[in-house]
Amino acid sequence: KNGIHAFGFFPIIVQDRIFGSIGLDITALGHKFTPDMVNIAQTISTQVAIGLQNIRLLSDTQRRAEQLQRITAFSQSVQATLDMSNIFNIMMAESAEMLQPDQMSIAIYDPAQGQLRVVAQLAEGYTNVNLNNTENLPIKGYIASVWESWQLLHIQDAKSAPEKIEPKTNARSLMVAPLISRGRILGLVSVGSARAYAYTDTDIAVFQQMVNQLAVAIENAEAFRQSQRVAKNEALVNDISTQLQRQMDIHSMLDVTVNELGKVLGARRARIRLGTSAPSVDDSE
């Protein structure tokens, strides 16, 4: 057919997986494949497979080395700032470079609401970091699984998963990891790709290391913010105490107390009530 009198098909196999094939067509009338020709073709296909494997290993090694360098740089960058917005922006930017996700989100647990609140997102090529965002991430399905197990979840292909993926996602490949620091879970980080089987074992290890570094950075930023709050409160108390000590009469002292506490607490109104007489011995209990 089509002038072909003989043809051969020789698969290119790398680690028990077919990566391609070599096809040979003989158009000369009367010619056919001999055992020597088959052996030569098989040998060449094997050499091609070995060459492809070597190139792949070299590429993986180079990529792994680049990722390790970037992880080191990421760790230094994220630990050099105590500003939460900067921390999340660095995480989003570095993840985009190293993992090339089509979507990504960082959700921090809000104890007051008992919910995971989304503070950073990547979608359609745009990154948004908003610490005041009120959007919640439902703790159900695979999110609940990660939240309860404190273990990284890797879904190779959401469309062929044995169970329905909830919450719904457009991603085919997913990685979701908990933010854990000092024995408590701070939130979750998820990355997704529109391609199935997008993430290798190396990508999973890189993602886990980045999440670990992010958790430490968040913990440090929270500790710094708490220490600032304590220092500010102590300074306010000292300032009010100093003003009170300067007052020479009870009315001035009460005015200072009401005014300063109102400012500190943001109260629109403040009042102090005093007893009209000292308590008796029986009332002092």
Side-chain angles (χ1 to χ4, degrees):
K1 187 178 181 179
N2 298 325
I4 298 175
H5 297 280
F7 68 92
F9 173 85
F10 303 92
I12 299 173
I13 301 173
V14 178
Q15 291 186 339
D16 299 325
R17 292 180 60 187
I18 296 178
F19 271 70
S21 64
I22 296 176
L24 300 175
D25 300 331
I26 294 179
T27 58
L29 186 63
H31 284 250
K32 61 180 181 179
F33 281 102
T34 65
D36 288 342
M37 294 171 63
V38 171
N39 289 334
I40 291 172
Q42 288 177 335
T43 300
I44 295 300
S45 67
T46 301
Q47 292 298 321
V48 170
I50 294 172
L52 288 174
Q53 177 67 357
N54 290 338
I55 292 173
R56 180 184 177 188
L57 290 174
L58 178 61
S59 177
D60 288 346
T61 300
Q62 290 175 334
R63 185 185 179 201
R64 189 178 298 111
E66 291 173 357
Q67 286 177 323
L68 289 175
Q69 290 177 349
R70 293 194 70 99
I71 285 176
T72 301
F74 166 75
S75 177
Q76 293 172 348
S77 298
V78 82
Q79 300 299 331
T81 179
L82 293 170
D83 181 83
M84 204 71 81
S85 294
N86 288 343
I87 290 172
F88 292 139
N89 274 309
I90 293 171
M91 178 66 176
M92 301 295 283
E94 289 300 321
S95 297
E97 289 292 330
M98 283 193 276
L99 301 173
Q100 299 180 348
D102 294 304
Q103 64 184 53
M104 179 177 177
S105 71
I106 301 174
I108 300 299
Y109 184 68
D110 186 343
Q113 301 293 328
Q115 294 285 342
L116 284 167
R117 186 163 49 83
V118 179
V119 295
Q121 284 182 303
L122 169 67
E124 298 179 355
Y126 294 95
T127 298
N128 178 43
V129 175
N130 183 2
L131 301 183
N132 298 317
N133 188 19
T134 58
E135 179 184 350
N136 292 328
L137 181 66
I139 304 179
K140 64 179 183 179
Y142 65 89
I143 296 297
S145 174
V146 175
W147 183 255
E148 294 167 1
S149 68
W150 289 27
Q151 298 293 324
L152 183 147
L153 174 67
H154 177 212
I155 300 176
Q156 295 180 326
D157 187 0
K159 286 191 175 180
S160 61
E163 57 186 27
K164 187 177 181 181
I165 300 297
E166 290 288 348
K168 292 182 180 179
T169 175
N170 294 325
R172 293 284 297 274
S173 299
L174 274 173
M175 289 192 293
V176 186
L179 287 161
I180 300 173
S181 180
R182 299 179 185 177
R184 67 188 185 107
I185 184 167
L186 309 176
L188 299 178
V189 182
S190 67
V191 295
S193 172
R195 297 180 295 109
Y197 298 91
Y199 301 119
T200 64
D201 290 341
T202 300
D203 293 325
I204 296 172
V206 166
F207 179 56
Q208 183 66 73
Q209 290 185 53
M210 293 183 70
V211 170
N212 292 344
Q213 293 293 334
L214 177 62
V216 173
I218 292 173
E219 190 77 20
N220 290 341
E222 286 186 348
F224 176 72
R225 186 170 54 185
Q226 180 65 21
S227 66
Q228 281 190 316
R229 187 181 301 114
V230 171
K232 182 179 179 181
N233 290 342
E234 289 178 350
L236 286 170
V237 170
N238 290 335
D239 181 59
I240 295 174
S241 297
T242 301
Q243 293 189 52
L244 289 174
Q245 291 171 9
R246 292 173 181 169
Q247 307 310 312
M248 303 304 295
D249 60 83
I250 190 169
H251 293 290
S252 299
M253 183 178 294
L254 295 180
D255 284 341
V256 169
T257 302
V258 168
N259 291 332
E260 293 303 320
L261 283 178
K263 291 178 184 178
V264 172
L265 302 178
R268 297 179 60 185
R269 297 180 60 188
R271 58 186 176 272
I272 297 177
R273 293 179 178 177
L274 299 177
T276 56
S277 62
S280 65
V281 175
D282 293 336
D283 295 333
S284 61
E285 295 181 4

